[in-house]
Amino acid sequence: MTVALEAAAPELPPPSPFRPGTRTWDETGLITFSLTAGSAFLLQTMEPTISAVVDAHSTFRTDPVGRALRSISSVMMWVYGGEEALAEADRLRTMHASLNTTDAAGVKHKALASGPWAWVLHTGTFAFTENAKYFARRPLTYAEKEAYYQETLQMMRNFSVAPKEIPADFAAFEKFFADMVENHLEATDTARDYLRVIRSIAPPKQLPRMLTPIWRAAVAPVGTLQYFVTVGTTPEPARRKLGLSWSEADERKLRALGWLLARLVPLLPERLRYFPIAYEARRLERDRQRLRKVIDLRPI
């Protein structure tokens, strides 16, 4: 089924790096991103074309740690890479241009097909606004969600998303997203494999085999937590399709976990609170501002 966007596409800005002063800049680089982005990837693997391409080309089963680290660093580049953010977007489009496959039913799938390409970014928008309900000190207001959605248009433009695939505003996005989840996503084997992989994280390839038992014991709690948060922040219709259970007690536990993290993470030093690329970009920006102040105050 093809999901149609009823509202006219918004006017997109020209390609441009993200700058300080946006919610995207302030929050994407937080270390909790690795925890709360799980639902986005799960929703991506339920989209038939993305599922087929990931199944054929991704290393998430054989090298889950390496794949996760590469994905996170790429996302950090999208937001904090300055002019290199645009180069990173171009690199990814070039890389995905050849990632095509044909599924068991003989259907051909292209990674750069406009709908699936846009869906990758749409799942990020959902994950950000949904997870604020759990992991921010307070839920986003509707006005804040709309303002954040307007920021995502810059990302859409940087990644050359077709305007026809972009809802006009957040209200249209909510309607479009719900329709996609209910009527287009499928319970794919790729999605089930992803849930299995994050629940029991395989050791890095370079880890000596004798250390594998220690690895599995050490990361077991991380996998359990990642799985729990991913399932909890996934829309109920998607959980239903995958046969995932989620109780009222689970919901209370997730809200308690989110409440705790929302208060502990801000207490960390900035170097620990943000991923390295994000931290260095923020530090560089402060240095630039200090230089600007000194220049402006120079005697002339």
Side-chain angles (χ1 to χ4, degrees), residues 29-31 66 82 85 123 135 140 170 174 180 182 186 195 203 213 215 238 242 244 247 257-259 261 281-282 298:
L30 291 169
I31 56 171
T123 60
F135 296 97
L140 299 179
F170 188 74
E174 285 188 305
M180 279 286 294
E182 186 66 51
E186 300 175 1
L195 288 170
W215 166 272
L242 290 167
L244 301 173
S247 67
L257 172 66
W259 185 92
L261 288 177
R282 292 169 62 84
R298 74 190 187 281

Side-chain angles (χ1 to χ4, degrees), residues 227-292:
Y227 178 87
F228 178 72
V229 173
T230 297
V231 172
T233 54
T234 295
E236 176 56 33
R239 288 200 297 253
R240 184 178 67 246
K241 291 182 180 185
L242 290 167
L244 301 173
S245 61
W246 188 254
S247 67
E248 292 183 2
D250 290 330
E251 182 70 14
R252 289 193 295 271
K253 290 177 184 176
L254 180 59
R255 290 184 179 274
L257 172 66
W259 185 92
L260 182 63
L261 288 177
R263 284 149 183 81
L264 289 181
V265 171
L267 299 179
L268 296 174
E270 187 179 31
R271 182 180 290 276
L272 299 179
R273 198 164 68 246
Y274 285 90
F275 285 105
I277 292 175
Y279 168 74
E280 294 297 343
R282 292 169 62 84
R283 189 168 69 90
L284 178 60
E285 182 58 30
R286 288 194 296 273
D287 289 342
R288 287 173 176 162
Q289 291 176 1
R290 283 194 290 269
L291 174 60
R292 182 72 263 168

Side-chain angles (χ1 to χ4, degrees), residues 163-176:
K164 68 177 182 177
E165 306 292 352
I166 305 175
D169 52 29
F170 188 74
F173 170 80
E174 285 188 305
K175 183 177 180 181
F176 158 77

Side-chain angles (χ1 to χ4, degrees), residues 65-299:
V65 174
R67 186 69 193 90
L69 291 175
R70 291 190 295 272
S71 294
I72 290 172
S73 67
S74 182
V75 173
M76 295 303 110
M77 285 295 296
W78 303 358
V79 178
Y80 303 101
E83 294 299 328
E84 291 186 61
L86 305 182
E88 176 67 6
D90 291 342
R91 182 187 73 84
L92 291 176
R93 282 191 62 87
T94 299
M95 182 183 74
H96 283 80
S98 62
L99 300 186
N100 307 317
T101 191
T102 302
D103 64 23
V107 179
K108 295 182 178 180
H109 299 278
K110 296 183 177 181
L112 288 187
S114 65
W117 186 249
W119 182 244
V120 172
L121 297 181
H122 287 322
T123 60
T125 301
F126 164 79
F128 184 94
T129 54
E130 174 70 9
N131 289 333
K133 180 172 66 178
Y134 298 100
F135 296 97
R137 293 184 72 89
R138 61 171 179 77
L140 299 179
T141 66
Y142 202 84
E144 287 171 332
K145 291 179 180 180
E146 176 60 44
Y148 172 72
Y149 183 74
Q150 293 303 313
E151 291 181 17
T152 70
L153 299 183
Q154 183 66 66
M155 191 76 76
M156 298 282 181
R157 181 64 184 86
N158 291 353
F159 275 81
S160 301
V161 172
K164 68 177 182 177
E165 306 292 352
I166 305 175
D169 52 29
F170 188 74
F173 170 80
E174 285 188 305
K175 183 177 180 181
F176 158 77
F177 196 90
D179 192 33
M180 279 286 294
V181 172
E182 186 66 51
N183 299 313
H184 185 66
L185 299 190
E186 300 175 1
T188 65
D189 290 339
T190 311
R192 293 190 177 97
D193 283 350
Y194 171 67
L195 288 170
R196 175 183 55 80
V197 166
I198 64 173
R199 196 170 197 173
S200 181
I201 306 170
K205 291 182 177 180
Q206 62 270 28
L207 188 74
R209 182 168 296 183
M210 62 180 296
L211 297 179
T212 296
I214 298 175
W215 166 272
R216 293 196 181 280
V219 303
V222 178
T224 299
L225 180 62
Q226 182 69 68
Y227 178 87
F228 178 72
V229 173
T230 297
V231 172
T233 54
T234 295
E236 176 56 33
R239 288 200 297 253
R240 184 178 67 246
K241 291 182 180 185
L242 290 167
L244 301 173
S245 61
W246 188 254
S247 67
E248 292 183 2
D250 290 330
E251 182 70 14
R252 289 193 295 271
K253 290 177 184 176
L254 180 59
R255 290 184 179 274
L257 172 66
W259 185 92
L260 182 63
L261 288 177
R263 284 149 183 81
L264 289 181
V265 171
L267 299 179
L268 296 174
E270 187 179 31
R271 182 180 290 276
L272 299 179
R273 198 164 68 246
Y274 285 90
F275 285 105
I277 292 175
Y279 168 74
E280 294 297 343
R282 292 169 62 84
R283 189 168 69 90
L284 178 60
E285 182 58 30
R286 288 194 296 273
D287 289 342
R288 287 173 176 162
Q289 291 176 1
R290 283 194 290 269
L291 174 60
R292 182 72 263 168
K293 183 177 181 180
V294 173
I295 290 174
D296 289 342
L297 294 176
R298 74 190 187 281

